[in-house]
C-alpha cells in the first residue's frame, strides 16, 4: 500500500511513524511534512489547503490511501477533492468537518442526536454576549465559533477578559462551565461503524499546575488509571454512535476520525467539543499503544468496510508525551533556533523513548525550530511512572535555547495509579 499523509506537525509525524512500522505500507509520503517526517517518509512541497494540488499529487504518486492530518485542510474540503479523484481518503468531507469548523453547528448536531453537552448560547452582538455571560456567571467559557488551532477558547473568572475575547470573535459560543476532569476519546468511523480508540488526557495550559494561557496542548498520557473501565463503552453508546448516526441522517455522513473532548462531571459525561481529526498531542500517546497495524484500519474507514476488521489490539504499557515549545509560545514564538540532542535520544533512549517533530525544519546541517510547539517527546513504560521518567530523561537531552515545557505531565495520575 502506498500512503500519502497531509500535514506538518507532530500528529503527522506520529501517523507517519506508525505507518512506517506497518508491513503493508510499501511507500510512504508526507506533504509538506517536517524534518522528522522526512526521516520515515518522502517529503513533497505542497499547499495542504489546496485540494486540487493534493489530489494531483496523490494521483501522480498512485497513492492507495491519503490521510489528511490537520483540521484546516479538512474544513477546506481537501478530502472531497481527493475522493473526486477516485482515491480512498481518511478524513471527513468539508461539510462534515463543520463538526469542528463551527462550534454552533456541533451544538445543533448534538441536540439532534441527544448527546449530553453544556448548555450554550450562540452570540453575534455585544448585547447577546453580555446577556449570556450574565446568565451563566463565572467561570466563563467563551469559544470562537470557527477554527482557532486549539487556542480559541477562554475559560476565566474575569468578566472583562471573557467579554473582550467574545467581542473579538465575531460569532461566539458562550456556555456553562463543566466541572470534573477532561478526557480525549478518538473514534475511527466509516460513517456507519464506529471503532473507539483508547482514551487519553491532554494538558492545555502552558504552565505547571494548569496555569497560564491555553495552548494547542503541552503533553498527554494514556491510559487513564482513574477512569471508569466502562467509560469507552458509555461514550460510544451515548456520544460517538449517536453523532455518527445523526450526521448520516442529515445527509452529511462523517467518515474519518471523530474526536470527542469530554468532561467527566458530577452529573455524568458531557461533550466539550468535537474535532474532525486526530488530536495533537493525544495522538502521540494513543498510537504509541496501538498494536494493530494502522494502514488497514484507516483504509477500511475510507472504503466503508470498518465493520469487517478484527478488534483492535492494544499494548498494556503506558505512554507519556511532553511537548517542548519555543520561547514565548503560545504568543509569537521565536523560530530559527538550532535543536541539539536528537541523536542522543535515538542512541540512548530508543526504543522506549523517541522524538516526534512538530515545528521543525532543516537548515543546512542543522535542524531548527519553525513553530510554537517544536517537539513531542514520547515514551512508553510498564506504567505511567516509568513512561514519565523515560520521557523526561529524553527531554533533558534536548537543547533548544529559550524553550519551555511542563514538568508535571501525568504526574498526578502516576502518583495515584
Amino acid at each position: 500500500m502506498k500512503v500519502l499523509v497531509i500535514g506538518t506537525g507532530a500528529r503527522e509525524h506520529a501517523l507517519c511513524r506508525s505507518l512506517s512500522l506497518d508491513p503493508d505500507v510499501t511507500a510512504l509520503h508526507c506533504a509538506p511534512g517536517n524534518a522528522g517526517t522526512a526521516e520515515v517518509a518522502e517529503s513533497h512541497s505542497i499547499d495542504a489547503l489546496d485540494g486540487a494540488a493534493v489530489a494531483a499529487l496523490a494521483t501522480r504518486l498512485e497513492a492507495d490511501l491519503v490521510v489528511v492530518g490537520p483540521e484546516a485542510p479538512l474544513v477546506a474540503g481537501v478530502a472531497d477533492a481527493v475522493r473526486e479523484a477516485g482515491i480512498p481518503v481518511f478524513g471527513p468531507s468539508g461539510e462534515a468537518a463543520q463538526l469542528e469548523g463551527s462550534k454552533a453547528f456541533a451544538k445543533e448536531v448534538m441536540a439532534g442526536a441527544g448527546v449530553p453537552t453544556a448548555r450554550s448560547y450562540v452570540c453575534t452582538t455585544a448585547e447577546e454576549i453580555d446577556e449570556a455571560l450574565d446568565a451563566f456567571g463565572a467561570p466563563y467559557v467563551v469559544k470562537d465559533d470557527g477554527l482557532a488551532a486549539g487556542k480559541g477558547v477562554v475559560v476565566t473568572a474575569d468578566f472583562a477578559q471573557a467579554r473582550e475575547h467574545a467581542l473579538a470573535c465575531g460569532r461566539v459560543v458562550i456556555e456553562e462551565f463543566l466541572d470534573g476532569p477532561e478526557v480525549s476519546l478518538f473514534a475511527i468511523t466509516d460513517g456507519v461503524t464506529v471503532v473507539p480508540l483508547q482514551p487519553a488526557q491532554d494538558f492545555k495550559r502552558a504552565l505547571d499546575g494548569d496555569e497560564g494561557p491555553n495552548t494547542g496542548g503541552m503533553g498527554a498520557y494514556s491510559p487513564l488509571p482513574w477512569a471508569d473501565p466502562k467509560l469507552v463503552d458509555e461514550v460510544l453508546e451515548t456520544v460517538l454512535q449517536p453523532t455518527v448516526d445523526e450526521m448520516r441522517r442529515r445527509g452529511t455522513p462523517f467518515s474519518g476520525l471523530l474526536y470527542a473532548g469530554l468532561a467527566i462531571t458530577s452529573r455524568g459525561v458531557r461533550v466539550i467539543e468535537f474535532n474532525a481529526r486526530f488530536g495533537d498531542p493525544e495522538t502521540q500517546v494513543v498510537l504509541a499503544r496501538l498494536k494493530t497495524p494502522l494502514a488497514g484500519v484507516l483504509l477500511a474507514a475510507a472504503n466503508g468496510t470498518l465493520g469487517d476488521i478484527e478488534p483492535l489490539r492494544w499494548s498494556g504499557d503506558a505512554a507519556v508525551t511532553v511537548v517542548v515549545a519555543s520561547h514565548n509560545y503560545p504568543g509569537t514564538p521565536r523560530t530559527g533556533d538550532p535543536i541539539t540532542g536528537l541523536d542522543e535520544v535515538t542512541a540512548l533512549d530508543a526504543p522506549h523513548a523517541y522524538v516526534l517533530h512538530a515545528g521543525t525544519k532543516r537548515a543546512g546541517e542543522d535542524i531548527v525550530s519553525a513553530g510554537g510547539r517544536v517537539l513531542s517527546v514520547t515514551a512508553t513504560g510498564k506504567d505511567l511512572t516509568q513512561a514519565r521518567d523515560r520521557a523526561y530523561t529524553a527531554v533533558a537531552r534536548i537543547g533548544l535555547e529559550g524553550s519551555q515545557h511542563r514538568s508535571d505531565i501525568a504526574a498526578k495520575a502516576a502518583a495515584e495509579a
Side-chain angles (χ1 to χ4, degrees):
M1 194 189 304
K2 297 176 185 171
V3 184
L4 170 61
V5 176
I6 304 300
T8 61
R11 160 188 46 228
E12 286 73 40
H13 192 182
L15 287 164
C16 284
R17 179 181 182 274
S18 289
L19 290 165
S20 75
L21 298 172
D22 187 331
D24 287 338
V25 175
T26 52
L28 184 58
H29 302 267
C30 191
N34 60 39
T37 60
E39 294 171 9
V40 292
E42 186 180 337
S43 301
H44 301 270
S45 181
I46 196 173
D47 178 358
L49 295 172
D50 185 339
V54 172
L57 175 63
T59 301
R60 180 166 64 78
L61 296 173
E62 299 180 337
D64 300 298
L65 174 67
V66 175
V67 180
V68 184
E71 61 273 25
L74 290 168
V75 172
V78 167
D80 301 89
V82 176
R83 273 194 197 93
E84 284 162 19
I87 298 169
V89 58
F90 182 80
S93 66
E95 210 175 346
Q98 286 301 311
L99 260 186
E100 177 170 5
S102 168
K103 302 288 190 297
F105 175 76
K107 289 289 188 184
E108 284 175 29
V109 172
M110 283 188 263
V115 167
T117 186
R119 293 179 299 122
S120 64
Y121 294 106
V122 180
C123 307
T124 54
T125 67
E127 186 180 34
E128 289 172 346
I129 287 166
D130 289 344
E131 285 178 8
L133 292 172
D134 285 343
F136 288 129
Y140 305 102
V141 181
V142 183
K143 299 181 175 181
D144 192 331
D145 183 48
L147 291 180
K151 298 189 282 288
V153 180
V154 164
V155 181
T156 178
D158 184 329
F159 178 88
Q161 184 189 1
R163 189 173 190 271
E164 181 185 14
H165 181 66
L167 290 169
C169 288
R171 193 166 191 243
V172 65
V173 175
I174 295 172
E175 63 185 40
E176 68 176 326
F177 176 76
L178 297 174
D179 63 340
E182 294 186 14
V183 173
S184 299
L185 186 61
F186 302 160
I188 292 171
T189 178
D190 58 6
V192 178
T193 301
V194 182
V195 176
L197 305 186
Q198 289 290 304
Q201 186 174 57
D202 81 331
F203 294 75
K204 285 289 186 203
R205 299 285 185 172
L207 307 174
D208 284 7
D210 291 326
E211 299 289 330
N214 252 359
T215 70
M218 294 298 290
Y221 70 93
S222 178
L224 312 181
W226 50 267
D228 186 328
K230 299 198 229 38
L231 176 66
V232 173
D233 290 339
E234 181 191 341
V235 175
L236 176 61
E237 186 181 327
T238 62
V239 174
L240 298 168
Q241 190 71 57
T243 300
V244 169
D245 292 345
E246 174 67 10
M247 290 293 283
R248 192 172 66 253
R249 188 189 69 75
R250 295 170 74 104
T252 52
F254 186 103
S255 77
L257 195 291
L258 179 59
Y259 162 122
L262 309 165
I264 314 302
T265 77
S266 52
R267 294 169 299 157
V269 174
R270 297 287 184 273
V271 175
I272 301 167
E273 64 175 355
F274 284 129
N275 289 339
R277 40 74 195 181
F278 280 104
D280 184 343
E282 301 99 316
T283 301
Q284 289 85 303
V285 291
V286 173
L287 291 185
R289 299 185 58 226
L290 179 65
K291 293 177 77 172
T292 301
L294 184 61
V297 181
L298 302 187
L299 184 63
N303 284 337
T305 58
L306 201 58
D308 300 335
I309 70 165
E310 297 286 316
L312 299 182
R313 291 179 293 113
W314 295 93
S315 165
D317 286 355
V320 172
T321 285
V322 179
V323 171
V324 177
S326 53
H327 177 71
N328 201 41
Y329 178 77
T332 305
R334 194 174 77 205
T335 58
D337 290 311
I339 302 165
T340 61
L342 298 173
D343 292 341
E344 285 89 336
V345 174
T346 302
L348 299 171
D349 302 312
H352 301 298
Y354 49 89
V355 178
L356 298 167
H357 292 236
T360 67
K361 67 178 182 182
R362 195 165 275 287
E365 293 297 303
D366 292 333
I367 292 175
V368 301
S369 60
R373 291 187 295 174
V374 182
L375 304 168
S376 284
V377 180
T378 302
T380 55
K382 68 178 188 294
D383 53 28
L384 285 174
T385 298
Q386 187 178 52
R388 274 192 93 242
D389 289 347
R390 286 171 169 172
Y392 280 107
T393 296
V395 168
R397 302 192 203 282
I398 292 167
L400 174 62
E401 190 179 343
S403 69
Q404 55 176 319
H405 64 269
R406 283 185 57 160
S407 66
D408 63 347
I409 304 300
K412 186 164 176 276
E416 294 173 356

